[in-house]
Amino acid sequence: ARGLIHYEKGEREPAMADFNEALRVDPRLTAAYVNRANAWRAAGDGTRAIADYDRALALDPGMAAAHNNRGLVRHDQKEFDRAIADFDRAVRLDPRYAAAYNNRGGAYEQKGEQELARADFSQAIGLDAQFAAAYFNRASLSLRAGQFDAAISDFDVVIRLEPKNARAYGQRGLARYRLKQYDRAIADYDQALRINATTAPVYIDRANALDDQGETDRAIVDYGEALRLEPGNAVALFNRGIAWRRKGDFDRAIADYSNAIHVKSDYVGALVNRGIVFADKKDFDRAIADYDAAIALNAENATAFNNRGTAYRRKHDLARALADYDRAVELRPDYTLAYYNRALLHRLAGRLAPALVDIDKAIAADARYAPARQLRAQLFEQRGEREKAIADYRIALELDPASRVAADALRRLVSP
C-alpha cells in the first residue's frame, strides 16, 4: 500500500523500493509485480514492464488488468498485433472492461482498421457513458475520416464531461473549421488557449481560421506566437509565408519559406510556394530552380510542373513550358489550371484549335472557373463565332462580376 501511495504521488524511487521489498518478502505477490510493471512503464522502460507483467500472469493468468496493461506497453512499442492479443484476453476475462475495449480500439486505429476501432470505442462508451477518453478517441477517428458533424457531437460530450479539456476544444475547433464555421472554430480555439496558452498547434489552427476570414494581420500574430513557443515549427513558417504573400510582402514570405526549408530540407510545399513568390517578383530563374528542387524530391508533383511551365512561358521558352504542362495534366487529368495554362500557350503560338480543346477540358474539370470561360470566349471571338463568344462572356461575367474584359467584350459584341 505504501508503494502505491509513493507511485501515485510521482515518487518513483521509494515506490520501487517498496515494491521490491514486497516481492523479497513474498515472491508470489502478483499485485506487487503489476504495480512495479506499471511504474516501469511510467518510467519508459517497456522491457522491464513486460517482464513484470509476464511474471504476474504466470502466477495468475486470469488477471484482466495485467493483460490490458501489457497490451498498453506493446502499443507503446508499436507491436500492435501483440497489443490487440492482450486486449482480447482482457475483454474475454472481463467482458465489461471498458478501458480494454478503448485501448484495443486505439491499436486497431494504428493498424488502419478504422471500423474495428470505431466499434471498440463505441463498445467502451456503451459500457461507461462517462468515459471521456473513449468519446475523444471516437471523435478523433470521425475527424480524420471527414465526418465532422459526428466528431463535433462526440467532442461536445467530452467537453461536458471535462470542461477544462483544452485538446477537446482545439479538436472541435478543427472540425468546425473544416465545415467553414470560422467564428465557432475561433471561439473554440480561444477557449483552448485560455485553458492552455502554450500549445503551438492551436495558435496555428486559429491563425488559419483568421486568415481564411480575411484577418491576415491577426493570423500573422498567431503564427508568430506559435513560433515563439516552437521556433522550428515548419508548418507555422509555411503558413505565415502564405499570409505574407497575401499581404504583398514578398520578401518576408520568401524568408519564412526559406526558414521552413532550412528546418525541413525536403519540404516540397515550401519549395513550390517560394517558387511562386519568386515568380511574383519576376525572378523566373530562381522560381524555376525551386520548382526543379521540388520535382527532384517528388517527380509526381503536378503543381510544380504546372508552375514551372508558367515560369518557362513567361520567359518565352514555349517548348519547355508545353512539356511541363503536358506532364502536369498527365499526372492530374482533371487539373483545370494546367489545361487553362496550356490553352493560353497554344493561343500565344497561334494554335487556336488545340487551345479550344484544352479550354474545354479546363471547363469540364471546373465549370465555375471564370478565367477559363473568358478565355474560351476570346478564342470563339477570334474564330468569328460571335454567339458562342457572347454566351461564354456572359457566363464569365456571372462568375466574376468584376471582370472588365468580359464586360467590355459584351458591350462590343451585343448590339444596343
Side-chain angles (χ1 to χ4, degrees), residues 57 60-69 86 89-91 93-94 97 100:
L57 288 167
D60 183 358
M63 290 185 70
H67 284 293
N68 175 72
N69 292 2
D86 269 336
R89 293 187 191 100
V91 298
L93 290 164
D94 182 358
Y97 198 165

Side-chain angles (χ1 to χ4, degrees), residues 190-265:
D190 289 346
Q191 182 62 18
L193 291 168
R194 276 192 286 271
I195 297 167
N196 181 2
T198 64
T199 310
V202 179
Y203 281 106
I204 294 170
D205 289 339
R206 187 172 69 177
N208 294 342
L210 289 166
D211 200 26
D212 284 356
Q213 279 199 311
E215 297 188 59
T216 303
D217 289 332
R218 289 181 64 196
I220 287 170
V221 171
D222 268 355
Y223 291 133
E225 188 62 21
L227 288 164
R228 184 187 67 78
L229 293 165
E230 295 182 9
N233 191 306
V235 173
L237 289 164
F238 177 85
N239 289 2
R240 191 172 66 177
I242 293 171
W244 285 128
R245 179 180 181 245
R246 185 171 287 120
K247 284 176 64 67
D249 194 333
F250 298 146
D251 290 336
R252 280 178 168 166
I254 288 169
D256 272 346
Y257 290 135
S258 297
N259 285 329
I261 293 162
H262 178 74
V263 171
K264 189 174 185 290
S265 60

Side-chain angles (χ1 to χ4, degrees), residues 114-341:
Q114 309 302 326
E115 292 311 310
L116 289 173
R118 186 180 300 278
D120 270 350
F121 296 144
S122 297
Q123 180 72 10
I125 290 164
L127 291 167
D128 181 358
Q130 306 298 305
F131 198 169
Y135 283 107
F136 186 95
N137 289 341
R138 190 172 69 179
S140 298
L141 189 68
S142 296
L143 179 58
R144 283 188 285 275
Q147 299 168 354
F148 304 124
D149 288 324
I152 289 168
S153 178
D154 275 343
F155 285 130
D156 286 345
V157 179
V158 177
I159 289 165
R160 177 174 57 79
L161 294 170
E162 297 180 351
K164 296 296 184 182
N165 190 320
R167 287 184 66 212
Y169 280 106
Q171 292 297 288
R172 188 175 71 178
L174 185 56
R176 286 173 165 166
Y177 172 77
R178 300 294 187 206
L179 290 171
K180 302 187 186 305
Q181 298 173 359
Y182 298 126
D183 288 335
R184 301 185 77 186
I186 289 167
D188 272 343
Y189 297 141
D190 289 346
Q191 182 62 18
L193 291 168
R194 276 192 286 271
I195 297 167
N196 181 2
T198 64
T199 310
V202 179
Y203 281 106
I204 294 170
D205 289 339
R206 187 172 69 177
N208 294 342
L210 289 166
D211 200 26
D212 284 356
Q213 279 199 311
E215 297 188 59
T216 303
D217 289 332
R218 289 181 64 196
I220 287 170
V221 171
D222 268 355
Y223 291 133
E225 188 62 21
L227 288 164
R228 184 187 67 78
L229 293 165
E230 295 182 9
N233 191 306
V235 173
L237 289 164
F238 177 85
N239 289 2
R240 191 172 66 177
I242 293 171
W244 285 128
R245 179 180 181 245
R246 185 171 287 120
K247 284 176 64 67
D249 194 333
F250 298 146
D251 290 336
R252 280 178 168 166
I254 288 169
D256 272 346
Y257 290 135
S258 297
N259 285 329
I261 293 162
H262 178 74
V263 171
K264 189 174 185 290
S265 60
D266 61 348
Y267 201 160
V268 171
L271 285 163
V272 170
N273 278 21
R274 189 173 68 177
I276 291 169
V277 183
F278 280 131
D280 290 335
K281 289 167 65 74
K282 297 184 170 49
D283 190 343
F284 300 120
D285 289 332
R286 293 180 76 181
I288 288 167
D290 272 347
Y291 299 139
D292 287 345
I295 289 165
L297 289 166
N298 180 6
E300 307 269 304
N301 191 304
T303 301
F305 280 104
N306 174 70
N307 291 2
R308 190 174 69 177
T310 297
Y312 278 130
R313 175 168 58 81
R314 294 179 73 182
K315 281 171 60 73
H316 309 290
D317 189 341
L318 301 190
R320 283 181 173 171
L322 180 59
D324 274 348
Y325 293 142
D326 288 347
R327 182 60 177 150
V329 297
E330 180 184 344
L331 289 167
R332 197 191 307 172
D334 62 348
Y335 197 172
T336 298
L337 187 56
Y339 284 119
Y340 172 82
N341 284 334

